[in-house]
Amino acid sequence: MTQFDQQQLAAEAWFRSLRDRITAEFETLEDEGESLPALTNAPAAPGRFVYTPWERTDHSGAPGGGGTMGVMKGRVFEKVGVNISTVHGQFNPEFAKSIPGADQDPRFFATGISLVAHMANPHVPAVHMNTRFLVTSKRWFGGGADLNPALPHEEDTAFFKQAFEQACDRHDPAHWPKFSAWCDEYFYVPHRKRMRGVGGIFYDWLNVEKEGDFDRNFDFTRDVGETFLTTFPAIVRRRMGLPWTEEDRLALLRYRGLYAEFNLVYDRGTTFGLKTGGNIDAILMSLPPEARWD
Amino acid sequence: MTQFDQQQLAAEAWFRSLRDRITAEFETLEDEGESLPALTNAPAAPGRFVYTPWERTDHSGAPGGGGTMGVMKGRVFEKVGVNISTVHGQFNPEFAKSIPGADQDPRFFATGISLVAHMANPHVPAVHMNTRFLVTSKRWFGGGADLNPALPHEEDTAFFKQAFEQACDRHDPAHWPKFSAWCDEYFYVPHRKRMRGVGGIFYDWLNVEKEGDFDRNFDFTRDVGETFLTTFPAIVRRRMGLPWTEEDRLALLRYRGLYAEFNLVYDRGTTFGLKTGGNIDAILMSLPPEARWD
């Protein structure tokens, strides 16, 4: 299974090129924010991504692929992680039961990009984006993007959601109603009786079965990445220069407590990764650089 | 079951009096630390406990007891919570399966004290202490105390553990080997491949079955409280005036990230409370006032 087919290679190449474009754009934002006041621990020069490759050994003991973690700490981005990974092997028997198409044959392949940005200015929302292509005895795309402001600006929320609504509508009129509701449901924090963020989209099991399914769903997944690139950086530019107070910063740090709670208590990817020995640094990349529970 | 018997009343009264003595001692420490440099957000005057009573409605819809949350934010104690609670009612059927003696009869009574202290000076360890008396169709005591230093001082660790070893030995020679090992095992953080703290004791299901069991195990549980009072404040006095650097503070905040990870991902009490609608503020009292993942 280490001989990848055209679909696998195409998906992997896309996620890598999307990573390159996003990190370049984020470094440009750091350059634009050069004159902003620096937080404690912020670097003197504009932030730059530091890349750390990692490899994994499969459950079976064989080489199982790996990925590259990219982390930048700067003045605009207090901490942002942009990870790509392409992993393959065999699911362990217990986990295989919970994965479509893996109950009979535990072999799998997964490639994707995962991004979480925690921003220095409390007026700039945090953001999460992830898209992936999975192959077991079935094949499917999944992913999503959602906005997580500590101090919500309705204009930003509307702009972000409208762009994703339009992206969805370009592919299937059923996508937006389904995927925006799925986002609201997935990122709900029961013990706080509220959503983690203000919404976006979440999708999974976008199957590749019939002729044309791969192209159609790959097109949609690429559009999610393109829409991220046309929306989030624009929101950052709009808000990164706004003045903020110590009270705003405290509101941000307390909001990040909620963000950490969701990721550590409920997020399927995080808890699965932590409990099954995944790459800790890549998994915990999503946690905020600083948070308060006071 | 709202008519409590002598054992229930005696246990509740002990936990309340222990709370009173601990909070008085902690406020004395705040007075002694009046001239220490203040962190951002620390009060101008020495910290004092603020008490918030709460009540719960049982699963069955009936009144189900409640508790008092006590929180102090000061110069010595960056954030400390000391909670007592006495609750009763019926476990919901799903949970009842996991509790000794509740599978046939879901009625329960629980009274206890729970304490977590996060300290301002990185040289002073954080500490956790909890003791409780449970009644289902069985009765038992449980609890523990463990030390959580960001910058461990071997002398403090040895002093703390030796005192608990001696306390255990006063009651049963089997206690210390069993309860110290249980602590090391319970507070292990698998994804970090390390213990949360440096140890202490953890015990549970110390049953009240035969004549004399209640008195013997209640004596031991009281001794755990007394040992906490003779050890932790002494460690605080020894370290609270030590100078510390920004690097020390960062080490403390990063260590607290690990502490939050353990409590949100693994701690049975926290995750159970969060997922079943307990008193959120009392449950999350254990989370650090400030933490970093950077």
Side-chain angles (χ1 to χ4, degrees), chain B residues 4-57:
Chain B
F4 302 143
D5 62 33
Q6 288 304 312
Q7 293 183 354
Q8 292 167 324
L9 293 171
E12 177 179 22
W14 160 254
F15 293 127
R16 181 177 300 276
S17 73
L18 179 62
R19 191 274 313 267
D20 292 344
R21 290 166 63 202
I22 288 173
T23 53
E25 178 71 1
F26 284 5
E27 291 187 349
T28 300
L29 284 165
E30 276 294 310
D31 291 339
E32 294 172 19
E34 194 174 0
S35 63
L36 293 173
L39 293 172
T40 324
N41 281 356
R48 287 294 177 261
F49 275 91
V50 174
Y51 297 98
T52 310
W54 56 271
E55 292 184 351
R56 69 183 279 284
T57 302

Side-chain angles (χ1 to χ4, degrees), chain A residues 157-167 176:
Chain A
T157 303
F159 170 67
F160 185 83
K161 293 172 86 160
Q162 198 170 51
F164 278 97
E165 180 173 2
Q166 288 166 353
W176 171 253

